[in-house]
Amino acid sequence: MMKKRCMALTLAAVMAFSVTAFGASNPAQNGKWESAYGSGTVSAYKKMYSIYARSVLIGYTTFTVPKEAQGKNLYLAMVDTEQWKEKGTSEYFKGEVEEWEDFQAKQIYEKDQQNVFKVPLTEDSITLEVTYLDERGEERLGKGVSLVALGGDAYENNLFADQKDQLFVEDLIYLYLSPDLKHEVEEVPCTIDVTIGADTMQLNGKSYPLDAPVYINDAGYTMLPMRALIENLPEEVQKKVLWDGQSKTASILCGMTTYRLTAGEKEAQRNGDKVILNTPLEIKDGRVFLPLRDMVMFWDSGKINWDASTKTVHISADMVHILE
C-alpha cells in the first residue's frame, strides 16, 4: 500500500556537471562539431532544476572556434529534448542568451520572433549563459531543454549553411518536480533482488534484463549496472540518468533527490551536499556500475540484506512519488 504524507516547501536540488555535445557529422558525442569552415568543440555546464522552484533556470556552454569559422554566425534555439530526438523538430522555447568573459556579462544576444538567437563567432573561445524563460507547467515535468544549432542557408552567414539542424547540447537544463506546500507525496514500496553473476534483476516481483551481470568488486561491494537500477524503478518515481563520458561522472535523479558520482572517486554529492561512499562508481567492459549498498543507504528507509547461500542481494525502500 502506498502511504501519503504532506511535504513542507522544498528548495530545488541543483546538480551541475560538465558534458560534451555533438555536431551533425559527429554522432559519437566526442565534443566536436564540424563545418565547411573547420572543426570546433563544445562543452556545457548543465543543471537540474525543480520546475516549481522560484529560481532562474540557467545553463552554460563554451565553444572553441577554429580560425576559419570566425566571422560566421551561429544560430541557436532551445527545444524539448524528447520531441527533438523523436521527431527532429520542436517549438523553440523563450529565453535569453548572453556572452560571458572573465565571469562577467559581455554581450546580450537578441532573439527573433521565432526565439532564435544569432551568435557571431568573433573569438577563438565563446562562453554563453543560456536562460530558460518558458512555461514550467505540468506538461514540462520530466523534460530536458536542449540547445540546437540551426542549419540551412536561410540564416545570414550561417556557419552550418550546408548542414541540417543539429543537437548541440542535450539536456542543457533538465526540469523535474519538487513539492511545495500544496502538494502531497506518496511512498511507493520498492523491492529489488539481484544475484551475483545474473543477467536479470527482480523489481517488485517482475524480471528485468541487465545489459551486464552484477558482480562483487575487489573491495567486496556489490556493483549493479547504473541504468538498469534507476530506469527500472517504478513508473511513478521520477528518475533520470545523465552520463558524462569525458569526466566519467554520473548525474542521477531519483524521486526528489539528485546524486553526482564520479568513477574512481569516493567523494560524491547528494542534493549538492558532499557524501563519502564506501566504494566509488566503476566502469567495467564499457558499462557503468553503481555501488549498490551506498545508493540504497541514501534512499529514505532503504534496507539491504545479503543471502550468502544464493549470493543474492535483497533491497527494500520507499520511493517518493509526488501527487498532482
Side-chain angles (χ1 to χ4, degrees):
M1 179 179 292
M2 299 178 181
K3 297 174 286 183
K4 295 181 181 180
R5 53 189 172 98
C6 293
M7 297 294 292
L9 180 65
T10 302
L11 295 178
V14 178
M15 180 178 300
F17 48 97
S18 297
V19 300
T20 56
F22 58 95
S25 54
N26 242 313
Q29 301 192 44
N30 60 5
K32 295 182 179 179
W33 52 261
E34 296 179 2
S35 73
Y37 302 95
S39 301
T41 63
V42 55
S43 61
Y45 187 68
K46 298 170 48 172
K47 293 187 176 182
M48 280 187 180
Y49 276 111
S50 159
I51 65 174
Y52 285 123
R54 294 185 179 181
S55 55
V56 181
L57 308 188
I58 296 176
Y60 293 89
T61 182
T62 298
F63 302 91
T64 61
V65 182
K67 185 175 181 179
E68 298 88 342
Q70 293 181 33
K72 292 292 179 178
N73 297 320
L74 193 62
Y75 293 85
L76 301 174
M78 285 179 280
V79 301
D80 182 295
T81 302
E82 204 170 282
Q83 288 184 16
W84 189 268
K85 294 181 74 174
E86 288 183 359
K87 302 177 182 179
T89 184
S90 166
E91 63 176 316
Y92 299 155
F93 296 138
K94 297 176 184 177
E96 295 176 350
V97 173
E98 292 186 5
E99 183 178 346
W100 281 62
E101 188 174 284
D102 297 328
F103 303 102
Q104 292 186 344
K106 175 183 177 183
Q107 178 70 45
I108 298 175
Y109 295 111
E110 299 295 332
K111 60 180 179 291
D112 65 15
Q113 291 182 342
Q114 286 74 43
N115 295 313
V116 174
F117 295 87
K118 173 184 173 181
V119 179
L121 302 178
T122 58
E123 307 287 343
D124 57 5
S125 179
I126 298 175
T127 298
L128 301 180
E129 178 186 89
V130 181
T131 305
Y132 172 79
L133 296 175
D134 220 326
E135 296 298 321
R136 306 189 198 181
E138 292 288 343
E139 70 278 3
R140 298 298 303 141
L141 174 60
K143 300 293 186 179
V145 179
S146 290
L147 196 64
V148 167
L150 303 179
D153 58 10
Y155 300 98
E156 179 186 7
N157 204 21
N158 187 8
L159 176 68
F160 297 113
D162 59 347
Q163 293 175 261
K164 296 180 179 180
D165 301 346
Q166 53 199 279
L167 190 63
F168 234 45
V169 181
E170 184 175 339
D171 290 338
L172 178 65
I173 296 169
Y174 187 79
L175 308 177
Y176 67 98
L177 185 63
S178 182
D180 57 22
L181 291 172
K182 298 178 182 179
H183 283 75
E184 289 185 328
V185 301
E186 62 183 3
E187 295 177 343
V188 182
C190 183
T191 60
I192 303 171
D193 291 282
V194 293
T195 301
I196 303 304
D199 58 4
T200 61
M201 62 180 287
Q202 303 293 318
L203 196 152
N204 286 349
K206 185 176 179 180
S207 182
Y208 294 89
L210 301 176
D211 58 358
V214 180
Y215 69 93
I216 297 177
N217 69 3
D218 293 339
Y221 292 94
T222 303
M223 307 298 291
L224 183 71
M226 174 177 65
R227 291 192 181 277
L229 175 61
I230 303 302
E231 293 181 354
N232 289 330
L233 289 174
E235 289 185 5
E236 302 94 330
V237 177
Q238 292 187 111
K239 62 226 179 203
K240 180 75 172 181
V241 175
L242 297 172
W243 171 248
D244 173 9
Q246 190 173 47
S247 66
K248 295 181 172 57
T249 297
S251 297
I252 299 169
L253 169 64
C254 183
M256 293 186 300
T257 308
T258 56
Y259 306 90
R260 184 177 188 270
L261 302 90
T262 300
E265 295 185 9
K266 287 190 175 182
E267 183 175 307
Q269 291 182 11
R270 182 181 188 271
N271 284 347
D273 296 327
K274 184 175 75 172
V275 293
I276 303 299
L277 307 175
N278 288 298
T279 193
L281 176 148
E282 294 182 356
I283 301 174
K284 182 178 180 181
D285 298 329
R287 297 289 189 274
V288 182
F289 289 81
L290 289 172
L292 192 55
R293 179 174 292 275
D294 285 315
M295 285 300 297
V296 173
M297 291 299 101
F298 290 159
W299 294 344
D300 291 337
S301 69
K303 297 180 181 178
I304 187 167
N305 294 296
W306 168 250
D307 185 339
S309 63
T310 60
K311 295 185 177 180
T312 297
V313 179
H314 178 76
I315 302 157
S316 62
D318 289 330
M319 311 301 296
V320 173
H321 170 224
I322 303 169
L323 300 172
E324 296 185 4

